[in-house]
Amino acid sequence: MYRLATALLHDDDLARDIVHDVFASLLDRDQNILVNRGYLLKSVRNRCLNHIRDCGIHQRIANCYFLDNEEYDIEEWPDEETIARIDSMIRNDISPQARRVIELRFSNGMPFSRIATTMGISETAVYRHLSHALSVIRKKINDNG
């Protein structure tokens, strides 16, 4: 059981904890249950997978809310000049349809499905317009520094 947990988690201490938790949960039950090796291995595997899933969720939440991190430096955000350049690129270098998609997505916060309905195009077309516009903006910013 320990080897299975270690193989899945790559952490000896955490593997011991999970195996311990499986045994502790068996002892906490009021009923006498016959437990075989397969049940124990599946219990360890499931607890390991649940831990991996939960860590993934916590990491995504931490990434979404990185502003709560004290080490975050506000000066990394684009300055007013960069924002003005991006606005100019949106007005001059991007097609009218892509410009409308950007406006609806970022200014109005609309999801792709609602943008597609509003503009009378498919969600795939919305994605393509947005992807193309953002790649043009990234390329021009990277080229100009």
Side-chain angles (χ1 to χ4, degrees), residues 114-126:
R114 198 157 151 220
I115 294 170
T117 304
T118 302
M119 294 182 65
I121 57 177
S122 69
E123 286 185 48
T124 305
V126 170

Side-chain angles (χ1 to χ4, degrees), residues 52-104:
I52 291 168
R53 180 201 62 213
D54 292 344
C55 285
I57 290 170
H58 293 304
Q59 185 63 40
R60 286 190 298 246
I61 290 170
N63 289 341
C64 289
Y65 295 103
F66 68 95
L67 290 175
D68 291 338
N69 186 355
E70 294 173 6
E71 297 174 8
Y72 177 72
D73 185 10
I74 193 75
E75 293 182 18
E76 290 181 17
W77 287 99
D79 56 2
E80 293 298 320
E81 179 184 332
T82 304
I83 293 171
R85 283 180 34 217
I86 291 171
D87 187 48
S88 173
M89 286 179 224
I90 291 171
R91 280 185 274 115
N92 300 323
D93 301 329
I94 296 173
S95 70
Q97 239 182 347
R99 190 176 316 124
R100 179 80 174 133
V101 168
I102 286 178
E103 175 188 318
L104 293 174

